[in-house]
Amino acid sequence: MAGMKKQIWFLSVFVLIVNAACFAADVQAAPPPKSIKILAIGNSFSVDGLEHVYSIATNAGIQDVVLGNLVIGGCSLSTHWNNARTDAPNYNYRKNSSGGWVDRKKSTMETGIQDEDWDVITIQQVSHCSGQPETYNSDLDNLVAYISSRKTNPNARLGWQMTWAYQADSKHSQFSKYDRDQLTMYNAIVKAVSEKIASNEAFDAIIPTATAIQNMRTSPVGDTLTRDGFHLSQNLGRYIAGMTWVKALTGLSIDNITWVPSSNEIPDDLLPVIKEAVNHAGQTPFAITKSSY
């Protein structure tokens, strides 16, 4: 009898393992969604994040990609909320539904939010305040409530872009808030987002751009991912960010992505390094994972 029970136990475990393997295979084999519509309410750092998302997402197999970006350079949560409550036409509303960006200046936030039935709407703090949790205050709460009251898709998810720390030799005037130290800034950003966003039930997704960039900085590429000490480089830096956005917001694997904005700057042998950095950021968004390369 004891032997029979043991056989039944092993058989049960085997069935569970097989079922789990089949489920995993089904998840891996799941086709990409036919469409994705993403709106960012941001600043120049959302421009960096979204620049290559269209091409990456279509390369991943998504047929219909629509991107929107409500942009004011250096815009904070406080300014976003002030613009929302006053219906101020202060935004450059950038839209990409065919591979190129079209600008619609002097737009209101409401115009952008109601232009499409967005699947995801993202917000972020201005970079120099991203590591200051006290700035994630009632302005954030009011902005979240405003977006919820204006969105035309009741199932639209709310996302947060965790912006990156400045290059170590950055001349940004506000870098002094972090003792002009890159890791101090990165750790402050992670702490603020962990405390104020990860625990906030309004948010469905965090885009860990900060960690993907920091992971990549531990590779042979080093601290060379910005064009001016804080904005990402046009091709490589923005490509890493775009890969992070696609992975975080679609759940799709990036392992088979082959499209690059520049084969000179991003040769084939660099793709595994980038994908490792982005995948590790997805798995461990609030800590640096050193490159194996």
Side-chain angles (χ1 to χ4, degrees), residues 28-106:
Q28 291 290 332
K34 290 185 178 180
S35 67
I36 185 76
K37 296 182 178 183
I38 303 168
L39 173 70
I41 300 173
N43 47 46
S44 59
F45 276 40
S46 61
V47 173
D48 281 351
L50 278 176
E51 183 65 21
H52 298 310
V53 165
Y54 184 93
S55 296
I56 295 169
T58 54
N59 190 219
I62 304 177
Q63 299 173 14
D64 182 19
V65 178
V66 180
L67 307 175
N69 198 356
L70 287 160
V71 180
I72 298 175
C75 196
S76 65
L77 291 172
S78 175
T79 301
H80 281 310
W81 167 236
N82 188 59
N83 288 335
R85 70 178 183 81
T86 61
D87 203 33
N90 293 339
Y91 291 91
N92 178 17
Y93 175 45
R94 309 185 75 228
K95 191 173 182 181
N96 185 345
S97 58
S98 59
W101 291 95
V102 176
D103 292 353
R104 192 188 309 171
K105 297 184 178 180
K106 296 184 178 179

Side-chain angles (χ1 to χ4, degrees), residues 21-281:
C22 290
F23 176 76
D26 288 343
V27 170
Q28 291 290 332
K34 290 185 178 180
S35 67
I36 185 76
K37 296 182 178 183
I38 303 168
L39 173 70
I41 300 173
N43 47 46
S44 59
F45 276 40
S46 61
V47 173
D48 281 351
L50 278 176
E51 183 65 21
H52 298 310
V53 165
Y54 184 93
S55 296
I56 295 169
T58 54
N59 190 219
I62 304 177
Q63 299 173 14
D64 182 19
V65 178
V66 180
L67 307 175
N69 198 356
L70 287 160
V71 180
I72 298 175
C75 196
S76 65
L77 291 172
S78 175
T79 301
H80 281 310
W81 167 236
N82 188 59
N83 288 335
R85 70 178 183 81
T86 61
D87 203 33
N90 293 339
Y91 291 91
N92 178 17
Y93 175 45
R94 309 185 75 228
K95 191 173 182 181
N96 185 345
S97 58
S98 59
W101 291 95
V102 176
D103 292 353
R104 192 188 309 171
K105 297 184 178 180
K106 296 184 178 179
S107 293
T108 65
M109 185 183 295
E110 185 174 51
T111 296
I113 292 174
Q114 298 192 337
D115 187 44
E116 294 277 354
D117 293 332
W118 303 105
D119 297 305
V120 185
I121 299 174
T122 72
I123 55 179
Q124 61 195 48
Q125 179 56 293
V126 65
S127 63
H128 60 267
C129 291
S130 290
Q132 297 183 308
E134 65 274 14
T135 68
Y136 296 57
N137 50 32
S138 60
D139 297 322
L140 172 62
D141 298 334
N142 290 331
L143 191 57
V144 168
Y146 179 88
I147 293 168
S148 180
S149 69
R150 299 300 195 280
K151 64 184 183 182
T152 58
N153 175 7
N155 296 318
R157 297 179 293 142
L158 188 63
W160 179 271
Q161 178 178 216
M162 184 163 64
T163 57
W164 51 94
Y166 300 157
Q167 194 160 299
D169 60 356
S170 176
K171 305 302 182 187
H172 195 290
S173 61
Q174 299 297 313
F175 199 18
S176 58
K177 290 181 177 179
Y178 306 97
D179 299 325
R180 310 202 76 84
D181 183 83
Q182 184 182 93
L183 286 180
T184 298
M185 185 175 186
Y186 170 77
N187 289 328
I189 292 168
V190 164
K191 186 174 185 292
V193 175
S194 298
E195 291 178 355
K196 299 296 185 177
I197 303 299
S199 61
N200 189 328
E201 293 182 355
F203 289 91
D204 301 290
I206 293 174
I207 308 164
T209 316
T211 300
I213 292 297
Q214 209 63 40
N215 288 349
M216 193 67 184
R217 284 170 169 160
T218 70
S219 78
V221 167
D223 195 15
T224 61
L225 299 176
T226 73
R227 60 187 187 270
D228 56 7
F230 45 98
H231 291 108
L232 295 178
S233 58
Q234 298 284 352
N235 292 313
L236 179 54
R238 285 179 163 186
Y239 183 68
I240 296 165
M243 293 277 261
T244 308
W245 276 67
V246 170
K247 182 174 179 64
L249 298 184
T250 70
L252 293 174
S253 170
I254 60 168
D255 293 345
N256 294 320
I257 298 294
T258 57
W259 179 87
V260 294
S262 167
S263 57
N264 289 329
E265 192 172 344
I266 310 172
D268 289 344
D269 59 359
L270 191 56
L271 276 176
V273 187
I274 295 168
K275 291 173 182 178
E276 180 190 63
V278 173
N279 283 328
H280 281 158

